[in-house]
Every structure is written in structure tokens, then in C-alpha cells.
Amino acid sequence: MGMKKEGLKLFENGKRIDGRAYDELRPIKMEVGVLKRADGSCYLEWGGNKVLAAVYGPRECLPRHTQDPLKARINYRYNMAPFSTDERVRPGPSRRSIEISKLSKEALEHVIFTEYFPKTSIDIFVEILQADAGTRCAGLTAASLALADAGIPMKSLITACAAGKIDGKVVLDLGKLEDNFGEADLPIAYMPRTKELVYLQMDGDLTKDEFKEALRLALKGCDEIYRIQRDALKKAYEGEVNGR
Amino acid sequence: MVDENEIVWLVKKDAVADMIKNGKRSDGRKAYEYRPIEIITDYVKRAEGSAYIKLGNTQILVGVKMDVGQPYSDSPNMGTLITNAELVPLASPVFQPGPPNENAIELARVVDRGIRESKMIDFEKLCITEGEEVWNVLIDIHVLDFDGNLIDAATLAAVKALWTAKMPRYEDGKVIYEDKKDSLPVSKKPVACTFARFGNVSILDPSLEEEKSMDGKITITTTDDGKICAVQKSGITKISVPELENLIDVALEKGNEIRKTYLG
């Protein structure tokens, strides 16, 4: 965010650098149940992002002193593969990934019925295999589907998407160049059922009106992604429901 | 490490939340009212800039140090900013020595984002020779007494410390800390406003008692020109779009008040 590159036009003649309109998402693909050992899993492609999410649990929470007698403990690990970006990512948690993991965990903790599974842990692992801007949203969207695939009871699915500002124009779903050289980024996640936000971050430089517009666009993006999420679940479970 | 007050917080949790949902706060404040603020600048003479802040009973000391190093490869003509927060064990029975945990990291990153994204520091002016030598600005947040709302207090103190900091001289490849004269190339004054959430009710500047009872919190950092430069939701809370837009209005208004009174 905020870097400068002379002569780089991110928004020209109503089109963005990758040819998208201001309110257009990158292509998104999702599939659940892709990992054999995990209780629930999801593979997601979003533009150039490739993300794998796995859920283990509810299972005994170890070490024992971390158990909560009243509810399940949610663990969320957002991890970037070392080869996922141009410059190699040093393995292990970074300050950035610790923050993303914390906020994503809190977003999911809001929708999971944790009180149904006291003393257990529900462990969510998100691996970013290939990164192309918007990985926290891609990870959270995939994690939510993996939880559904694992049969964890939830109040709602969570759908995440970002909006931002490039060359003074508010746009949906920033790509890599737009993320590096844009002016603002607003990643959100919400519960499509109640239309309430459970993940919210923003950095950059937005007026109040631009903020409202970005929020509106991000929610519109979320609605589209929610449809793709439901289709992915239907595709995996339709057969089961129909007795096949 | 156990805080023996933990059980007291738990017992009081519902009472505190109920009170707030009924429009009252245990210390008598209004919903959008800060606790008394006291700031002392140049608290540590060895630091390039420093500010001690007392917000209610929360006490924080922020120091700004500077040194010379290599720029990042993607911004060869810009100085750098590193923000670090230490929750030192003397500030609370639950703080432990050791590397920063996720709360300390989040605190440092939210303060950092407010300062960085407001563009208050002109990093290009901190370049000595392009691609080789630039000034590094290092902000260290030292929490001394933890009574809630660290983000707002730390941001305010850090901005104050940056505004009052004096740069050391750089000569023949050496930083001369004994000779500090020039101010930092700073312009704006970002202010963070943190709202604690109780169901759908929000209050400004939560005390520790309120933080122990809240669902979560939302921080909105604004700048002098009426812009929003950073937002962060933390904890297990949700918010609707109209509520969020309302909080942005409050943050813009309160931000201006704080700026006028303490950063004027």
C-alpha cells in the first residue's frame, strides 16, 4: 500500500489494469472435501490466490490447561508457504500472520456454537500456497466452508472480500499491483444471514463518503462470493441428500 | 499467570454490560467521553522524542529512537518506520516477560498503521543517499500500568513524541546522538478512537473493567483533514453498516477534539 511508481496507471478509461470494471471480482473457484485426513477442508482459487483450509475437531484440547470448561477453543493458523510470493516468505509466524490469525479466529468464534463443545478445540489451518493480494479474505472464506464441510454448527457462513482505492477511485477486490500501489484497502467479512460485519480492517486514506462506498462495494462482492460458497457445498452434498 | 481479580471481573461482567446497555457507565462517564488525559513530553532525554501519557489509570511511555540503515529494496528513497510494543510485567499481573504475544503485536500494528497510513512522516525526506542510507524511525511503546484502551493512549503518545522529537546529526557514517537539533519531517496528527462493543451498544475509551466485560472493540483512526486512515475490529463482536457509519462520525468529531486539546 502507498508505494509509488511513476507512470503506472491503475485505472484508465473505466477499466482496471487487469481489464476488470470497478465493481468486478476476480474469478473465484471453490471445492470442499479435498483433504482425506481432515474433518473438513476447502480448496479455493481467487484470481492468482491458491488457498487450502483444513478443520480438525472438535477434539480434545491439548495441553489440558488451555481447555475452557464452558466452550470450545478455536485455533486459527494463517500461514503463507515460503514460495507463495516473489520474495521468499520466512517460514514460521510473522507479526502480520499472527495478527491475521487472531482477527480471523475472532470472526469465526462469533459464528461457531462453541458452547456445544466444552473442553475441546476446533483447529483451523489455512495455508496460502500462492499469494496474489487478498489472502486474508480468501483464507477466511475457505475456512468458513471447511468448517461447514466438517459439520461444525454455525450461526451463518462467513464471506470475506475487500474493497479499496486506486488512482482516487473506489474499487472492488484489489489485485496485486493495485494492492502494492493503491491508496486504501478495506478487507471485511460478514454474515450474509444478518448482514453484520465480523471482520473489519482498513488502512490507507479514505474520506467518509469513500469509506461508505468501499463498504457498499465490499458487501456486494461478499454477496456474489456467498453464492459461490453455497454452490460449492451443494455440489459436494447434493448427492448425499438425494440418497446417492 | 493468574490475575486474582479475574473472578471478580467474571462476577461483575453481566452487571457492567447491563449498565452500559442502559446508558450508564460505572465511573459516571457519558458513552463517548474520554477519561482525563495528561501528557508529558521529553520524558526521556536520551530518546530522540518521548511522551508519557496517563489516560485514566492507564500509563504508557513511548520513546522514538532513530538510527541509520539500508532502505527496503522496493522503496530505495524512503526512510523506514518500526513500531514495537512491550507489555512489561510491571503493568499487570497477567503480563509476562518474553517475546510479544498476539495482543502486544496487535497493539503495535494498529498504532503503526495509524501513523504510517496518515502519512504524517515524510519518508522521502528521511533518505540520506538513495538505495544506500536512510533514517530508521523506531517507536517503542512501553506499557507501565494497564487500565484499558492501550491503543488510543499509545497512538496519542506516539504522535506527540514524533512531533516533539529532534533528529540526531549524521556525519562521516556516524550518528551523533549528542547533537540533536532538527525536527522530524512530520505534518499530520492521526488520532485513534477505540469503541468497546456491548451487544449493539458502543462506548468510547473503555476502562479495564469495561474491556473485561465487552464483546470486542473497534478502533477508528482519523486525520486532521477529516479522513479515515485505519480501522480495526478486534474481539468477538459484530457490527451493522449503519452502526459503523455512526461510529465513524463520532471518531471524526472526537478525533478533532483530542487534536485541538492535546496535539494543538
Side-chain angles (χ1 to χ4, degrees), chain B residues 24 27 141 205 208 240:
Chain B
K24 291 202 186 79
D27 52 11
I141 299 160
D205 179 31
L208 183 60
S240 70

mmCIF file of all heavy atoms in Angstrom, chain B residues 24 27 141 205 208 240:
data_model
loop_
_atom_site.group_PDB
_atom_site.id
_atom_site.type_symbol
_atom_site.label_atom_id
_atom_site.label_comp_id
_atom_site.label_asym_id
_atom_site.label_seq_id
_atom_site.Cartn_x
_atom_site.Cartn_y
_atom_site.Cartn_z
ATOM 1 N N LYS B 24 -25.581 3.766 31.114
ATOM 2 C CA LYS B 24 -24.773 4.260 32.237
ATOM 3 C C LYS B 24 -23.398 3.605 32.227
ATOM 4 O O LYS B 24 -23.218 2.501 31.726
ATOM 5 C CB LYS B 24 -25.472 3.921 33.560
ATOM 6 C CG LYS B 24 -26.751 4.692 33.796
ATOM 7 C CD LYS B 24 -27.047 4.705 35.289
ATOM 8 C CE LYS B 24 -28.395 5.334 35.593
ATOM 9 N NZ LYS B 24 -29.516 4.394 35.346
ATOM 10 N N ASP B 27 -18.126 4.499 36.035
ATOM 11 C CA ASP B 27 -17.390 5.670 36.521
ATOM 12 C C ASP B 27 -18.107 6.979 36.194
ATOM 13 O O ASP B 27 -17.524 8.060 36.319
ATOM 14 C CB ASP B 27 -15.964 5.673 35.963
ATOM 15 C CG ASP B 27 -15.932 5.512 34.443
ATOM 16 O OD1 ASP B 27 -17.010 5.609 33.815
ATOM 17 O OD2 ASP B 27 -14.842 5.285 33.896
ATOM 18 N N ILE B 141 6.693 1.303 22.378
ATOM 19 C CA ILE B 141 5.581 1.569 23.290
ATOM 20 C C ILE B 141 5.799 0.735 24.544
ATOM 21 O O ILE B 141 5.848 -0.492 24.483
ATOM 22 C CB ILE B 141 4.243 1.177 22.621
ATOM 23 C CG1 ILE B 141 4.023 1.998 21.347
ATOM 24 C CG2 ILE B 141 3.082 1.340 23.583
ATOM 25 C CD1 ILE B 141 3.033 1.368 20.390
ATOM 26 N N ASP B 205 -13.426 4.776 24.688
ATOM 27 C CA ASP B 205 -12.374 4.703 25.707
ATOM 28 C C ASP B 205 -12.719 3.756 26.861
ATOM 29 O O ASP B 205 -12.907 4.193 28.001
ATOM 30 C CB ASP B 205 -12.090 6.113 26.252
ATOM 31 C CG ASP B 205 -11.013 6.105 27.332
ATOM 32 O OD1 ASP B 205 -10.115 5.239 27.275
ATOM 33 O OD2 ASP B 205 -11.069 6.963 28.229
ATOM 34 N N LEU B 208 -10.365 -0.827 31.977
ATOM 35 C CA LEU B 208 -10.085 -2.266 32.047
ATOM 36 C C LEU B 208 -11.336 -3.041 32.461
ATOM 37 O O LEU B 208 -11.647 -4.087 31.895
ATOM 38 C CB LEU B 208 -8.943 -2.541 33.032
ATOM 39 C CG LEU B 208 -8.517 -4.008 33.135
ATOM 40 C CD1 LEU B 208 -8.030 -4.543 31.804
ATOM 41 C CD2 LEU B 208 -7.438 -4.185 34.196
ATOM 42 N N SER B 240 -23.290 -3.682 12.437
ATOM 43 C CA SER B 240 -24.021 -3.452 11.190
ATOM 44 C C SER B 240 -23.443 -2.215 10.505
ATOM 45 O O SER B 240 -22.739 -1.430 11.124
ATOM 46 C CB SER B 240 -25.508 -3.248 11.483
ATOM 47 O OG SER B 240 -25.684 -2.010 12.132
#
